[in-house]
Structures are given as structure tokens and as C-alpha cells.
Amino acid sequence: MGKIGVWLVGARGSVATTAIAGAAALRAGLAENTGCVTELPDFAGADLPGLGDLVFGGHDVVDTPLVKRAERLVAAGVLPPALPGAVAAELDAAEARLRPAPSGGGRAAIDQVIADLAEFGKGLDHVVVLNVASTEPPCPPHPAHASLAALEGHEDVLPASSLYAYAAFRAGCGFVDFTPSTGARLPALDELARSAGVPYAGRDGKTGETLLRSVLAPMFAQRGLDVLAWSGTNLLGGGDGATLADPGPAASKNASKQQVLQQNLGHPVDGEVHIDHVPALGDWKTAWDHVLFAGFLGTRMTLQLTWQGCDSALAAPLVLDLARLTGKACRDGVAGPVADFGFFFKDPVGAGPHDLASQYAALRAWAHR
């Protein structure tokens, strides 16, 4: 099958560390593969790269070693106590492949990323760049975003997530944005991915509250119930909560969340999502939703639900799934957006369904093609 390199942007973050440690644990038979979609019976025989075929590297702006990051996740209740010691050798091997993130932007940063990817890719069949870094504010439009010709020489107008997409495509790598940042979603970068013959997918991993929305919103639509308002409150700790306390990144996240409702209901609804940073929650999050809907003869009713989960434990197995699926897409010569990966995202690229059941069917069909 060959080796697939997984270059993680934000490689020492909680999600990336959990993914690296989790893959090592699964390879060693130390844990169950609960939460891994590609390990379900529906994907048996799909000719995907195995977990043992994944080789991890990446960039980060911090220098805390992966073993120490894993120990902190044990203290937070995210990882089992014995796991960091049991997979220390694999964490150290990944640590040796991590590099400092570019300190600036523009052409110099792109050249550094391309050089790091070229070095990392030696001896590997394909490389997938997977963005699990902090959420960016919305990217202001710029004429240089409109086409590849317009972008050349003006790369300094790219936000960091798009800079990584640009570098990935120039290096012949696939790209996945697990964040709501701009990433590859610019016409110039779509053009580059297609011309380079490499796949991309995203954006914003669907792990908790929005996962439920993608199931419940179609239920209301298919029952002919009129959703009048859908409001939510998210309580987040950890780095994600700190990032989303900033109105800029929070705007990116909220826009992504609202896409699921509008696409599944067919119309915008009243209500907003509020994100509150609660440092004491650590890597855990709580989401509360209030749905106001009208039934027969206009009778008003409500649904309220609460979701409590560990963000890293929900996201990490999806990161592994996407690494395997995008590795297959690279191997099969897929170019441009992979709409069939929409199952994993709040605001997926390409033209595809938005309800979870249809997205799952599309993903399963793609994997077996």
C-alpha cells in the first residue's frame, strides 16, 4: 500500500497529540478503535491505507515535546494514564519530524513549508497536509484571490491556513482543513489544486453540537415541522475556547455552524450560537441547544438538548479517518475538492448533501469506488 505522510499544522495541539498517540495505541493493540469511521464494517475492503501506513510530522509555534503534551492530556482526563509511557517511542519518532512553523507570511513562508514538506516526503508515497491549528478570523476578500494568475506575486494576501494550502498544492500534497479557517476555499487555490492534480477537503470538523444538528434538522424538514428559531450556547475550555473568545475567530466558527441549519432546513432561522470560554473546563465542552418549532395548526413546541464531550477525543479519530481517505485520494489521482468527504465537516467544500445519513452513504460509496 505504501506509506502516507500526515503533516499536521498545529502538531503539538491537543487534537494532533491525541491523534498521534491514538494511532500508536491502535497499532500496538492497546486500545479499541471506537470513533474511527473508517474502521467500521462498511469500509472493510475499501483499500484504504492502514493505520500502520501513517507517518506523522508537522509544524507548530510551540516547542513543548509531544510526550509532555500527552502527559498533560492524561492529567486532563483525555488520555489513559499509562498511554504516554507505552507509546513514548512513537511520540519521540514523530517529535523528531516536527519543525518550527514559519514566523511570517508571504513567499518566504511558503518556500519554507514547501522545503519542509519535501524533506518529510522522502521515502513516502504521498503526503497529506492536515490543518488542526487555531481558528482564524474571516479572511477579507482581495482581488488576488480570484485566480492563480492574479495571486502569483501577491502571496502575502493569504492567511496562514491558505498559505499552507498553497504550499501543499505546490509540493504535490493533499490538503484537509479541519478548522473553519479559509484554507483552500479561494478560487485561486481551487485552480491550483486542480492543475497540480491533488485533492483537498474541509472545512471545520463536525464533532459535537453540529453533528447533532445535521441529524435533527433533516428530521424536522422531513416531518414537515416548521423550525422558527434555533439557538445555542457553547462552553469551551482549553486552547480552542481561548481562541474562540476572540470575536474574529468566533465569527468564522459561527458562520460554519449556521451552514448546517440553513442547508438542511432550506431557509435561515432566527437564533445565534454563543461561545463562552470557561478555562476550568479544560479540553471538555458543553453545548446547549434550544429549538422552537411549529407543528399542526401552528402549535408551538420546543426541543432542548445538551451535549457534553471531550473535543480531542471526538476529533482525533476523524483526523485519522481523513488522513487515510485523503491518502487514498492522492494515490488514486483525485484532483480538486472531494465533496464526498462532507460527512466530516460543518461547511463542506464541493456540491454534496448536508444531512448526515446522505453524507455517510456518499462517503461509503466513494471509499469503495
Side-chain angles (χ1 to χ4, degrees), residues 69-328:
R69 291 289 297 124
E71 290 172 354
R72 292 178 185 176
L73 290 172
V74 168
V78 179
L79 297 180
L83 187 59
V87 299
E90 294 217 37
L91 291 174
D92 288 340
E95 179 67 34
R97 294 187 288 266
L98 302 190
R99 297 292 180 267
S103 57
R107 190 72 240 177
I110 289 170
D111 289 342
Q112 179 187 331
V113 174
I114 291 174
D116 288 342
L117 289 173
E119 179 65 26
F120 174 64
K122 292 178 179 178
L124 303 175
D125 282 15
H126 299 282
V127 173
V128 175
V129 177
L130 217 153
N131 183 21
V132 286
S134 298
T135 299
E136 298 169 347
C139 175
H142 191 282
H145 297 161
S147 70
L148 188 57
L151 182 61
E152 299 297 348
H154 300 279
E155 295 89 350
D156 57 342
V157 303
L158 295 175
S161 62
S162 300
L163 181 151
Y164 271 103
Y166 183 103
F169 299 154
R170 284 293 186 202
C173 305
F175 179 79
V176 177
D177 203 336
F178 204 75
T179 81
S181 301
T182 304
R185 191 167 277 188
L186 294 173
L189 298 183
D190 175 75
E191 183 182 342
L192 177 57
R194 293 175 190 272
S195 64
V198 291
Y200 70 91
R203 59 187 181 172
D204 200 2
K206 188 163 57 186
T207 59
E209 179 186 35
T210 313
L211 180 67
L212 289 173
R213 289 181 168 202
S214 68
V215 176
L216 293 173
M219 176 197 74
F220 284 106
Q222 291 160 7
R223 280 293 308 274
L225 300 171
D226 186 13
V227 175
L228 305 174
W230 199 314
S231 304
T233 295
N234 285 221
L235 309 179
L236 302 176
D240 197 29
T243 298
L244 296 176
D246 184 319
S252 294
K253 175 67 76 171
N254 287 337
S256 175
K257 282 176 171 288
Q258 292 301 105
Q259 282 290 323
V260 172
L261 292 182
Q262 183 161 336
Q263 294 292 341
N264 280 298
L265 296 173
H267 58 86
V269 296
D270 288 342
E272 297 179 347
V273 175
H274 298 277
I275 300 175
D276 295 327
H277 181 213
V278 184
L281 286 175
D283 203 57
W284 299 78
K285 63 182 180 182
T286 298
W288 172 78
D289 274 29
H290 181 281
V291 186
L292 174 64
F293 64 98
F296 192 52
L297 304 179
T299 305
R300 291 193 170 201
M301 295 167 270
T302 62
L303 167 69
Q304 297 184 52
L305 59 93
T306 303
W307 171 280
Q308 294 177 304
C310 175
D311 208 33
S312 297
L314 291 165
L318 304 188
V319 167
L320 301 179
D321 288 328
L322 285 162
R324 299 176 70 190
L325 289 159
T326 310
K328 173 181 167 63

